[in-house]
Amino acid sequence: MDNKEFKKIVGTVLKKNGFELEKKVYYIRSEQVIVSLDFQKSNFDDSFFINYGFTLVKINPDVTYPKPHTSDVSGRFTYFDEDEEFPQFDLDKVTPENLEESIELNLENNIKPVIQDGLMKYFEINPAAKFVAKLNVKQYLGLDE
């Protein structure tokens, strides 16, 4: 699979799930949070990382187009292939079917719960994310204890 096909498949799945593309970053918004998602090409092989970020609207009222790396909390999608999970999407191994399925699984497991129930849900799903959340977010959500 080449870069163009990879990005097209991912983009199609994201748009089907309500994301919009703006300035090479995909966004979906709720009243509480802005979710941003972008691609990061590996420097070492023919693979990509898919980075995502959550930005709280209440503590960032002037931010409309955050990048995943500047968001309040960030993470990465994983690629699922049979019973294995990989931190990056290796274009030499990814199939269109597995790619679509992996994106859908990542959306179901990490993104949709936050859109529906707020950022606290993400910390329930991924407790280690508390350690990389920005201090103002921890304070706002009462996680700094």
Side-chain angles (χ1 to χ4, degrees):
M1 177 176 301
D2 64 16
N3 296 358
K4 193 173 183 177
E5 182 183 11
F6 172 78
K7 289 180 178 182
K8 183 178 179 184
I9 291 170
V10 174
T12 299
V13 174
L14 293 174
K15 288 177 182 176
K16 185 180 83 175
N17 283 278
F19 280 80
E20 295 177 0
L21 181 62
E22 185 72 39
K23 302 176 187 176
K24 297 185 180 183
V25 179
Y26 287 90
Y27 295 97
I28 190 167
R29 297 160 172 30
S30 72
E31 289 183 17
Q32 298 177 342
V33 68
I34 301 170
V35 181
S36 54
L37 192 144
D38 68 8
F39 303 104
Q40 180 183 346
K41 179 78 173 87
S42 171
N43 292 329
F44 303 104
D45 55 21
D46 197 18
S47 65
F48 279 90
F49 297 96
I50 299 178
N51 304 311
Y52 61 87
F54 302 111
T55 302
L56 287 172
V57 174
K58 290 263 191 202
I59 60 176
N60 300 285
D62 298 328
V63 176
T64 53
Y65 295 105
K67 304 280 192 266
H69 68 277
T70 62
S71 297
D72 296 322
V73 180
S74 60
R76 282 188 167 156
F77 278 10
T78 53
Y79 176 64
F80 300 96
D81 187 10
E82 296 179 19
D83 293 334
E84 292 188 76
E85 196 172 334
F86 301 93
Q88 77 268 8
F89 294 76
D90 184 339
L91 300 187
D92 294 328
K93 298 177 182 171
V94 171
T95 66
E97 297 79 22
N98 282 359
L99 177 57
E100 286 183 39
E101 189 175 304
S102 290
I103 300 305
E104 289 287 357
L105 278 169
N106 280 281
L107 291 172
E108 288 297 323
N109 294 339
N110 295 303
I111 307 300
K112 289 181 180 180
V114 175
I115 292 292
Q116 294 166 356
D117 300 321
L119 190 55
M120 283 298 288
K121 188 67 175 178
Y122 186 70
F123 296 120
E124 290 174 25
I125 298 165
N126 300 293
K130 292 176 189 174
F131 300 109
V132 296
K134 291 182 178 178
L135 180 60
N136 63 338
V137 172
K138 291 180 191 180
Q139 292 169 337
Y140 177 78
L141 295 174
L143 298 172
D144 57 340
E145 298 145 4

